[in-house]
Amino acid sequence: MRLKVISRSTDDFTRERSQDLQRVFRNFDPSLRHQEKAVEYVRALNAVKLEKIFARPFVGAMDGHIDAVSCMAKNPNHLKGIFSGSMDGDVRLWDLATRRTVRQFPGHQGAVRGLTVSTDGRILVSCGTDCTVRLWKVPVATLMESDDGSDNSSQPLAVHVWKNAFWGVDHQWDGDLFATAGAQVDIWNHNRSQPVNSFEWGKDTVTSVRFNPGEPNLLATSASDRSISIYDLRLSTPARKVIMSTKTNSIAWNPMEPMNFTAANDDGRCYSYDVRKLNEAKCVHIDHTSSVMDIDYSPTGREFATGSYDRSVRIFKYNGGHSREIYHTKRMQRVFCVKFSCDASYIISGSDDTNLRLWKAKASEQMGVVLPRERKRHEYMEAVKNRYKHLKEVRRIDRHRHLPKPIYKASRQIREMTESARRKEERRKAHSAPGSIKNKQLRTKRIVREVE
């Protein structure tokens, strides 16, 4: 007679030390787990509910300006440094870790409209409505510098006076040139007091300028004549232009897909374009109820943040039509500028109430040191939630957001107006000759024409 004996070694399930984790043996055979999907569904529900409970996106506010914050700039070589400029001509360097002012850069006699930092992180360029471009030496943002009692103001390395007011500035991602936007697009060098090149297409004011992250000689601008223009520094004339129905306030290139850029528009929408095909938008991002004032991409290129006149900050996926997150406070007024941090973990917004605010890019993310077991738990919950995100209850909880009453009412009014316009178009088409009225897609409806 043959006997089967279950033999187990005590070394397999006995802890060597009292601090060790207890060993647990599980059989992952699917035939033994008939309720596995039901259990995972409940876990997905709990995960999305816990994400709502622990959603605390606001980190803190940085107070110091005495007028509205009009522009900001990141230092590509220093993670926790952020520059801000205000409407009273004040330029400041902030330490995000301590949320204190490290250095002030006095000198502008009017509103500061543009800030940018050189590729090596050593030179700060500022411009404004006082018709000057100022170059500053960037200090190292340390707590010791911000705490000492000495004078923490700096003197400019160079001051270039020009004929017209400036509305924006941007530095090459790789090079020594920077561009200013005003009555025309001027290309400057650090060592020259005059522009090395100038571009002009029409007589309207250029309001923003952005260099391409992949091709250093390519830049995009937006102007007050509702146009978005593409310039190539290797050519003597502008390359292409697309004219929209409403004005574009800001432009941001996707750092991971340099052929794509997104434009923040006055109609409360953002339009993503492929620079090779400007006659149609790749994606239309809708949710804001007022003009979108600024836009900035995450370093990962998978999402971007927008600041709007409706006093809110929203985060969109690069290919998503609706925002995945909205940030707002009772005290925050119209948002004029917004930036992602260089590690894609935080968002900084500057608004009309003179404050800079620091937000978490992921509202429920745990701050501080995360243990390996906690990290694995978060990853598992995120995977379960993504597996069941298409189900009705999980999707409803995940999409729900509490909105301020003005934004809620404005959103409802916009939906009613859109639905009314759609019904009117359907009735007009039904009572017209077949083929006489063609439906225009939303991606092409706001584009007037393309000029080459």
Side-chain angles (χ1 to χ4, degrees), residues 27-42:
N27 189 345
F28 293 99
D29 186 5
S31 61
L32 302 177
R33 296 170 174 266
H34 304 290
Q35 299 294 324
E36 183 178 9
K37 289 188 176 180
V39 171
E40 284 192 343
Y41 173 70
V42 173

Side-chain angles (χ1 to χ4, degrees), residues 36-309:
E36 183 178 9
K37 289 188 176 180
V39 171
E40 284 192 343
Y41 173 70
V42 173
R43 289 175 180 171
L45 272 179
N46 292 336
V48 74
K49 290 177 181 177
L50 287 173
E51 188 174 288
K52 294 295 178 185
I53 292 174
F54 291 110
R56 298 290 186 270
F58 183 65
V59 178
M62 292 174 279
D63 188 12
H65 287 291
I66 59 174
D67 208 340
V69 181
S70 56
C71 56
M72 290 191 301
K74 295 180 290 188
N75 190 338
N77 277 15
H78 198 72
L79 186 62
K80 61 176 185 176
I82 187 79
F83 296 91
S84 65
S86 66
M87 300 295 284
D88 64 342
D90 186 22
V91 179
R92 290 173 180 249
L93 170 61
W94 300 86
D95 187 353
L96 294 180
T98 59
R99 300 199 292 275
R100 297 180 184 177
T101 300
V102 174
R103 189 63 59 92
Q104 288 182 266
F105 304 91
H108 281 283
Q109 302 300 317
V112 181
R113 287 295 183 176
L115 290 173
T116 186
V117 184
S118 61
T119 311
D120 57 6
R122 298 179 179 179
I123 302 296
L124 169 69
V125 182
S126 64
C127 66
T129 56
D130 57 353
C131 307
T132 62
V133 176
R134 297 173 185 265
L135 276 65
W136 314 82
K137 183 180 179 181
V138 177
V140 178
T142 61
L143 185 61
M144 183 175 62
E145 287 188 6
S146 61
D147 278 346
D148 59 12
S150 60
D151 185 19
N152 62 346
S153 60
S154 295
Q155 297 300 320
L157 297 176
V159 179
H160 305 321
V161 182
W162 199 231
K163 298 175 289 185
N164 306 300
F166 297 103
W167 290 89
V169 64
D170 193 42
H171 201 282
Q172 274 185 324
W173 286 63
D174 185 16
D176 295 330
L177 302 178
F178 62 91
T180 57
Q184 59 188 2
V185 179
D186 296 317
I187 311 300
W188 302 74
N189 191 297
H190 291 177
N191 302 319
R192 298 280 298 273
S193 60
Q194 299 287 331
V196 297
N197 200 356
S198 295
F199 295 98
E200 189 174 3
W201 196 342
K203 299 297 181 183
D204 290 274
T205 302
V206 182
T207 56
S208 69
V209 58
R210 288 291 182 272
F211 272 99
N212 188 288
E215 175 52 62
N217 295 312
L218 198 67
L219 58 92
T221 64
S222 64
S224 57
D225 62 349
R226 314 187 311 276
S227 67
I228 301 174
S229 304
I230 306 297
Y231 295 88
D232 193 335
L233 301 185
R234 296 164 293 189
L235 302 177
S236 58
T237 58
R240 304 176 70 185
K241 176 196 282 189
V242 58
I243 300 176
M244 302 187 66
S245 300
T246 48
K247 185 169 71 77
T248 298
N249 294 315
S250 184
I251 295 174
W253 294 91
N254 190 331
M256 294 291 107
E257 299 175 356
M259 74 290 294
N260 299 330
F261 68 89
T262 304
N265 207 270
D266 252 354
D267 61 356
R269 298 169 179 169
C270 298
Y271 298 86
S272 293
Y273 288 95
D274 190 328
V275 74
R276 300 164 294 186
K277 188 181 178 183
L278 292 177
N279 59 352
E280 181 182 4
K282 289 188 64 177
C283 186
V284 181
H285 313 273
I286 58 176
D287 264 344
H288 281 295
T289 59
S290 189
S291 299
V292 185
M293 304 303 296
D294 197 17
I295 181 172
D296 188 49
Y297 261 96
S298 167
T300 61
R302 311 304 293 177
E303 57 188 15
F304 60 86
T306 58
S308 173
Y309 217 71

